[in-house]
Amino acid sequence: MQVHILAVGRLRPGPEHALVSDYLTRAQKAGRGLGFSGFDVIEVEERKGGGMAAEAALIRRSLPKGSIFVALDERGQRLSSPDLADRVATWRDDGQRAATFVIGGADGLDPSLRADADYALSLGPMVWPHMLVRVMVAEQLYRSVSILAGSPYHRA
C-alpha cells in the first residue's frame, strides 16, 4: 500500500522539511517487508483569494484514485498510536492500494471536502501550524510501521 501526505502549500527547506523527509524515509525502509510500497508528500499550491473552496478543488484533483481519503481535522477521531497503526494495517489488509492523509490550508478543509473523507483524524483539540502537522503525521506514520514491525521505537 502506498501512503501519501497531501498538503496545501509548499514546505520550504528547513527543519520541518528535514524531519518530514527523515520520518518518511524511515517509514519506507521499515515498511518494505510489511506491504507498504512507499511514503511520500503531495503538495498543492495555496490559492490566495480563492479560499477553502479553491483549495478543495485542487485537493480533489490531486487525490490519488482509489485511495482512502483521511482528512486531518480537529473534529475527527482521536486515536492512540497503536490504534492508528491498527487502522492503517486494516486498510492495507483489506487490499487498499493507497491511503492519503490530507492537511488543509490555514483555514482548514472546506466542509464539502471534509464530508467526502473516508475517515477524519484529529491530532487533538489544539491548533497546530500546518507545517508542524506534516511533521507530526510523518512521525506517526513511521511509528505505525514500527509498531506493526514490532520495533522498539514505540515503547508504550
Side-chain angles (χ1 to χ4, degrees):
M1 181 173 83
Q2 181 74 31
V3 182
H4 310 281
I5 298 173
L6 193 159
V8 173
R10 302 279 179 215
L11 188 55
R12 293 181 296 269
E16 295 93 348
H17 189 280
L19 283 169
V20 169
S21 295
D22 181 50
Y23 284 125
L24 294 183
T25 298
R26 290 186 200 189
Q28 175 77 31
K29 289 177 184 174
R32 281 189 190 125
L34 300 172
F36 295 99
S37 56
F39 293 81
D40 65 4
V41 176
I42 301 167
E43 294 179 322
V44 297
E45 289 294 331
E46 293 178 86
R47 287 291 183 188
K48 304 287 188 228
M52 289 189 300
E55 290 174 357
L58 289 172
I59 290 168
R60 280 189 175 95
R61 283 197 300 272
S62 299
L63 271 170
K65 300 285 187 249
S67 180
I68 294 287
F69 167 15
V70 181
L72 272 290
D73 186 85
E74 63 192 12
R75 293 165 286 268
Q77 295 291 309
R78 294 182 189 149
L79 299 177
S80 67
S81 295
D83 289 340
L84 178 60
D86 288 344
R87 180 151 311 271
V88 171
T90 297
W91 292 330
R92 178 202 60 198
D93 296 346
D94 287 346
Q96 295 296 325
R97 293 184 305 172
T100 304
F101 292 76
V102 178
I103 302 166
D107 295 322
L109 294 171
D110 186 77
S112 69
L113 185 64
R114 275 196 325 261
D116 289 345
D118 297 304
Y119 191 80
L121 178 65
S122 172
L123 297 179
M126 292 181 179
V127 175
W128 296 97
H130 289 86
M131 299 310 170
L132 285 181
V133 172
R134 290 186 199 202
V135 174
M136 294 164 65
V137 171
E139 191 280 338
Q140 284 299 300
L141 291 171
Y142 170 58
R143 185 174 296 272
S144 292
V145 171
S146 296
I147 290 168
L148 296 172
S151 160
Y153 179 74
H154 181 73
R155 292 178 175 86

